[in-house]
Amino acid sequence: MGIEERLFHKAKTVLDQADNVVVLTGAGISAESGVPTFRGEDGLWRSYKAEELATPEAFRRNPELVWEWYNWRRRLISETEPNAGHLSLVALERSKRHFALVTQNVDGLHRKAGSLRVFEIHGNIWTVRCSRCDIEMENNDVPLSGLPLCPACNALQRPGVVWFGETLPPYLISAVFKALECCDVFMTVGTSGMVYPAASFAAEARRSGAFVLEVNLEPTPNSRHADLSLFGKAGEILPKLIPNISGVPTG
Ligand code: OAD
């Protein structure tokens, strides 16, 4: 067996034997579905300025521009489908007694694939939230007809996502840290490990005794906390690591 094969075999055995698995995903898992990443070669933050589009100040300054950008992303995402990587995580969830999928992605593709125990820590692009009274609702219109207004108080609605400079809901973060404390295996997939708090999850899980597995195109800051890293496309690696189970489409 070559080194690559041995690493694969080890990762597969560890995952097979785990009773409690937590997975963290980032933009890389949706890349093969056609959703752009943020920091790669064609990453969104190469062509767009986060401070003009993804901050509360940007929205106060120019809500039209921010909504224009989100309308563009909503259209793009509406034309995509989950890929084999997303579907493998559905199979993984169904095969484990304890499982949590923590995603930084706002595209909703994990739920569309069929994942159930999903923590969308950066929100969801298909929700809108009132900028005054905080009431949140689903809105799947592509494009939105004009600037969306809150049906309760008539103030401007904003995308239901977390922007730079904003904190994540504390109840969500404490649920994630609890899951990290209890898991046997923590697997991080397709994230650059640059944005906190998600960037701290691998180290946290390792401290609690979990086996840390990384799947990514290239090494990241998470690699030094990983017991094992597999480099390549998530849509190719995950189906090889996770046996398909009946009822889950293969993509
Ligand atoms: P990034 O764009 O920072 O990183 C994507 C990672 O996925 C990189 O390390 C790539 O090498 C890897 N990658 C790309 N294609 C892949 C593939 N097919 N298979 C496996 N890996 C692949 O995205 P995130 O880490 O998700 O925040 O970024 C974190 C946060 O930064 C996002 O949630 C967003 C952004 O600003 C908010 O919007 C709040």
Side-chain angles (χ1 to χ4, degrees):
M1 233 193 258
I3 176 89
E4 283 263 303
E5 247 177 293
R6 256 184 303 179
L7 288 178
F8 245 100
H9 182 71
K10 169 81 179 163
K12 192 166 163 22
T13 309
V14 165
L15 258 187
D16 279 352
Q17 290 173 352
D19 184 44
N20 186 330
V21 177
V22 174
V23 178
L24 168 71
T25 63
I29 195 163
S30 295
E32 289 157 74
S33 292
V35 182
T37 62
F38 293 93
R39 294 174 183 79
E41 235 171 69
D42 304 318
L44 292 174
W45 297 148
R46 298 259 168 153
S47 341
Y48 298 95
K49 287 199 175 115
E51 61 274 21
E52 283 173 12
L53 299 165
T55 66
E57 296 75 34
F59 188 71
R60 275 196 293 274
R61 214 169 33 235
N62 195 343
E64 288 85 1
L65 177 71
V66 172
W67 266 121
E68 193 185 323
W69 193 62
Y70 276 91
N71 265 325
W72 171 73
R73 286 180 64 198
R74 283 160 63 103
R75 168 167 306 284
L76 197 153
I77 290 167
S78 74
E79 288 161 0
T80 66
E81 291 298 329
N83 63 56
H86 297 104
L87 294 168
S88 296
L89 295 180
V90 179
L92 185 63
E93 172 171 356
R94 293 193 191 167
S95 70
K96 296 296 170 198
R97 213 144 56 97
H98 303 286
F99 179 87
L101 174 50
V102 184
T103 187
Q104 299 165 89
N105 299 344
V106 298
D107 55 33
L109 288 179
H110 284 304
R111 288 187 195 280
K112 194 169 181 186
S115 288
L116 298 173
R117 280 169 274 171
V118 187
F119 295 89
E120 291 175 317
I121 59 172
H122 290 169
N124 186 302
I125 202 161
W126 301 111
T127 63
V128 292
R129 184 166 74 244
C130 178
S131 54
R132 184 191 295 153
C133 71
D134 274 349
I135 288 182
E136 195 165 277
M137 60 196 62
E138 192 174 329
N139 182 326
N140 294 300
D141 297 350
V142 174
L144 289 159
S145 49
L147 293 182
L149 298 177
C150 175
C153 74
N154 217 34
L156 205 52
Q157 288 176 318
R158 54 163 281 178
V161 301
V162 176
W163 281 329
F164 288 98
E166 294 184 315
T167 50
L168 278 53
Y171 68 90
L172 205 52
I173 289 310
S174 81
V176 171
F177 276 100
K178 275 220 172 79
L180 293 175
E181 261 173 40
C182 306
C183 65
D184 314 321
V185 174
F186 173 77
M187 177 161 69
T188 161
V189 183
T191 174
S192 61
M194 308 284 277
V195 174
Y196 283 83
S200 70
F201 293 169
E204 196 57 39
R206 185 115 195 255
R207 235 192 318 276
S208 302
F211 187 96
V212 175
L213 182 57
E214 176 184 42
V215 176
N216 206 71
L217 276 188
E218 57 197 5
T220 72
N222 280 324
S223 308
R224 69 194 165 95
H225 304 295
D227 293 284
L228 201 160
S229 293
L230 297 173
F231 298 118
K233 291 185 173 177
E236 291 170 9
I237 293 178
L238 294 181
K240 284 194 219 154
L241 280 185
I242 300 160
N244 185 34
I245 52 173
S246 65
V248 180
T250 47

